[in-house]
Amino acid sequence: MKKLILSAALLLPSAAFAQPSSQVAWTAEQLNFVKAGNPQKGEELAKACSACHGEKGISISAAFPSLAGQLPTYLYKQLQDYADGSRDNTMMSGLAKTLSKQDAADLAAWFGSQPPAFQSKTVMVYEKAEALVKNGSRERVLPPCEVCHGGDGKGQAVDIPAISGQNADYISATLHAFKEGSRHNDIYSRMRIIAQTLTDEEISELGYYYQNIKN
């Protein structure tokens, strides 16, 4: 997979690499710190997040992602990225700057412990998305989506998010943000590299494909 991504990277303009992906370094100490997050304290902090992300971390609006069941390490990274400017959003950046690193770890632990989101299935044909998820694209030097996000969309490692059950429109909007470069906190630019090769139709289909997976 690494060879595929590096090969694709060589074909893209250098502008894709202009911004740092993240300031979070995943040392053993950092991983243990996030793992030790206190979900009980996180639950109290999460009350301030419910208007956008839902009372139990499941958003009712496509404008905001569901956080329930997400990997705590991924959530922690996003909060740190908002706080230091690696990821830009006026509302989230302001809120993240008010949180201590312990607050972020506690919030991540609580959201990660909640039952994940699942949207009702949408009747849609998404053959192109399924091909990308299962097989990738040799012509575009793209690895299958499931190599990183898993066949069930649950994510893996520390920075690859679970996307199964996420709102289709939010997934599509995120892919467009990577494609346009307005979001640039992906490690080694890997999502920007991939998204820049996707058509609008493929992006839409991928959103519904993952929305329809029950985590």
Side-chain angles (χ1 to χ4, degrees):
M1 177 189 158
K2 186 181 290 185
K3 289 182 179 179
L4 288 172
I5 292 178
L6 289 175
S7 296
L10 295 174
L11 303 177
L12 295 176
S14 59
F17 305 92
Q19 306 243 6
S21 58
S22 176
Q23 301 299 321
V24 177
W26 287 114
T27 61
E29 182 181 11
Q30 182 74 86
L31 286 168
N32 288 332
F33 175 75
V34 177
K35 184 178 180 179
N38 188 323
Q40 286 74 36
K41 291 183 179 179
E43 183 175 11
E44 287 299 310
L45 291 167
K47 291 177 181 178
C49 311
S50 61
C52 295
H53 297 289
E55 189 174 333
K56 297 293 184 180
I58 298 178
S59 176
I60 61 172
S61 169
F64 309 107
S66 291
L67 306 180
Q70 186 56 266
L71 297 175
T73 45
Y74 177 78
L75 292 176
Y76 180 85
K77 175 187 180 297
Q78 299 311 304
L79 286 170
Q80 298 309 304
D81 286 356
Y82 279 128
D84 66 29
S86 297
R87 183 174 178 183
D88 183 45
N89 178 280
T90 302
M91 181 183 296
M92 281 304 305
S93 296
L95 289 171
K97 287 175 182 177
T98 69
L99 300 173
S100 67
K101 286 182 168 57
Q102 186 63 60
D103 289 339
D106 294 344
L107 273 169
W110 185 78
F111 280 120
S113 70
Q114 299 306 296
F118 177 60
Q119 310 288 334
S120 59
K121 280 188 174 293
T122 303
V123 177
M124 181 176 178
V125 176
Y126 34 66
E127 294 178 357
K128 292 181 180 180
E130 188 167 12
L132 286 169
V133 171
K134 302 294 183 183
N135 305 314
S137 172
R138 178 175 293 182
E139 293 77 13
R140 288 177 281 180
V141 202
L142 290 180
C145 303
E146 67 181 17
V147 169
C148 292
H149 292 283
D152 53 9
K154 290 183 179 179
Q156 60 180 331
V158 297
D159 63 334
I160 300 173
I163 50 179
S164 56
Q166 189 64 261
N167 187 288
D169 288 340
Y170 182 80
I171 293 174
S172 295
T174 300
L175 285 171
H176 278 295
F178 279 126
K179 182 174 182 175
E180 296 157 5
S182 56
R183 179 169 172 182
H184 41 71
N185 72 322
D186 50 327
I187 299 297
Y188 305 124
S189 303
R190 61 189 172 207
M191 280 309 304
R192 280 172 284 174
I193 291 169
I194 291 169
Q196 286 178 15
T197 75
L198 299 176
T199 66
D200 289 348
E201 182 180 3
E202 288 171 335
I203 287 174
S204 178
E205 283 194 19
L206 283 166
Y208 284 105
Y209 179 92
Y210 280 110
Q211 174 179 289
N212 290 344
I213 296 178
K214 189 170 184 177
N215 201 331

